[in-house]
Amino acid sequence: MSDLLTYAYAVVRNAEGLRKTTAPLRGVADSPVSLVTDTGDDQLGLVVSHVPGQDFQEDALKQHLEDLEWLEAVARAHHGVIEALAERTTVLPLRLATVYLDDNRAREVLEAGRTMFAERLARLSEHVEWGVKIYVEPSAAPAVPAADLTPGRAYLRSRRQQQSVRDTVYQAAQKAAERVEAAGRKHASDRVRHRVQQGLLADAAGAVGENVVNDAYLVPLKRCDDFLADVTHAADGLDGVRVEATGPWAPYSFAMPLDESGGAAAAEGAPP
């Protein structure tokens, strides 16, 4: 068995000049990127590179996934390849660490899913992904000055006031979420709801405030400006609420694994 495995980044529509685009790219482990095509339909391609088996077999990969520095390096390389591809063609991004025993096995999976991939790429054509997060910051909401009270009464009033402010801010966040959803219905083709960011994930993202909505929208290129105009004004007039839009991205949230049975990570032990 070869010491190298085939690492797959994305299924793509094989646009003119795509091979020239991939030729100078370096992917995970600083390996050259290439294009594996479907022998029955050269309009479909799988963008790959070769990575050391010692790092991407099951046991080693499980350990690496707990190494944040290693994981960040792989994620950056993975994302960099996909973003470069997205500038030239429609991209169906694959999850991190999608690996195969070799290029032939990767080609077999591409050919087996030919119809599904073609349909998915057609749906994603001329679309990008925008992330929309809503944060609440109760401390940013105005407080009502306390009257001259005894310390005990002042404490109780302060506690009631804090709770009232929190309730008001969360109600405002709900209103902002409704406005964002309305913008999505008006301009976007689809939406995916992600888990809100909490704990270490929120800290790593440098979040300020509590994340209460974490959605992704699939937006036609021609509707992006209108979508963003509506979304960025969703918190207007709402104290203690902040809306953050990020993108445009390749449509990560609207892709799918290559093989629902686990074949997307079929390098004998790579994670499904």
Side-chain angles (χ1 to χ4, degrees), residues 76-115:
R76 287 184 181 277
H78 183 95
H79 176 70
V81 170
I82 290 175
E83 289 301 299
L85 295 169
E87 293 180 1
R88 292 299 304 267
T89 188
T90 304
V91 177
L92 182 62
L94 303 180
R95 58 188 173 181
L96 204 67
T98 296
V99 289
Y100 296 92
L101 291 176
D102 52 35
D103 288 3
N104 286 333
R105 175 55 185 151
R107 181 177 288 105
E108 289 172 1
V109 175
L110 179 65
E111 294 174 352
R114 181 183 304 155
T115 300

Side-chain angles (χ1 to χ4, degrees), residues 64-246:
H64 281 316
L65 292 178
E66 296 177 359
D67 181 343
L68 294 181
E69 185 175 343
W70 184 91
L71 187 60
E72 181 180 3
V74 171
R76 287 184 181 277
H78 183 95
H79 176 70
V81 170
I82 290 175
E83 289 301 299
L85 295 169
E87 293 180 1
R88 292 299 304 267
T89 188
T90 304
V91 177
L92 182 62
L94 303 180
R95 58 188 173 181
L96 204 67
T98 296
V99 289
Y100 296 92
L101 291 176
D102 52 35
D103 288 3
N104 286 333
R105 175 55 185 151
R107 181 177 288 105
E108 289 172 1
V109 175
L110 179 65
E111 294 174 352
R114 181 183 304 155
T115 300
M116 182 269 288
F117 295 140
E119 291 175 351
R120 190 59 129 179
L121 285 167
R123 177 174 176 269
L124 298 179
S125 179
E126 300 297 317
H127 285 71
V128 291
E129 175 175 331
W130 287 93
V132 181
K133 296 182 177 69
I134 298 178
Y135 296 91
V136 295
E137 303 173 56
S139 61
V144 179
D148 293 333
L149 300 171
T150 64
R153 288 176 178 269
Y155 172 77
L156 292 175
R157 175 166 181 171
S158 175
R159 295 285 293 177
R160 288 195 296 268
Q161 182 176 303
Q162 289 174 5
Q163 186 59 52
S164 177
V165 168
R166 287 184 63 84
D167 291 345
T168 298
V169 169
Y170 281 100
Q171 290 171 7
Q174 178 61 39
K175 183 172 292 186
E178 291 170 356
R179 292 176 181 175
V180 170
E181 290 179 19
R185 287 193 297 271
K186 183 177 180 182
H187 304 297
S189 301
D190 201 356
R191 179 186 70 174
V192 169
R193 310 216 78 161
H194 294 302
R195 290 183 181 180
V196 296
Q197 293 184 332
Q198 298 176 323
L200 292 176
L201 189 60
D203 294 341
V208 177
E210 179 187 353
N211 181 211
V212 294
V213 170
N214 182 16
D215 291 350
Y217 286 86
L218 184 66
V219 184
L221 289 172
K222 61 184 180 182
R223 304 302 297 270
C224 285
D225 289 345
D226 292 334
F227 173 77
L228 288 175
D230 287 348
V231 165
T232 54
H233 290 293
D236 286 0
L238 302 174
D239 292 320
V241 179
R242 177 168 56 89
V243 177
E244 178 183 285
T246 58

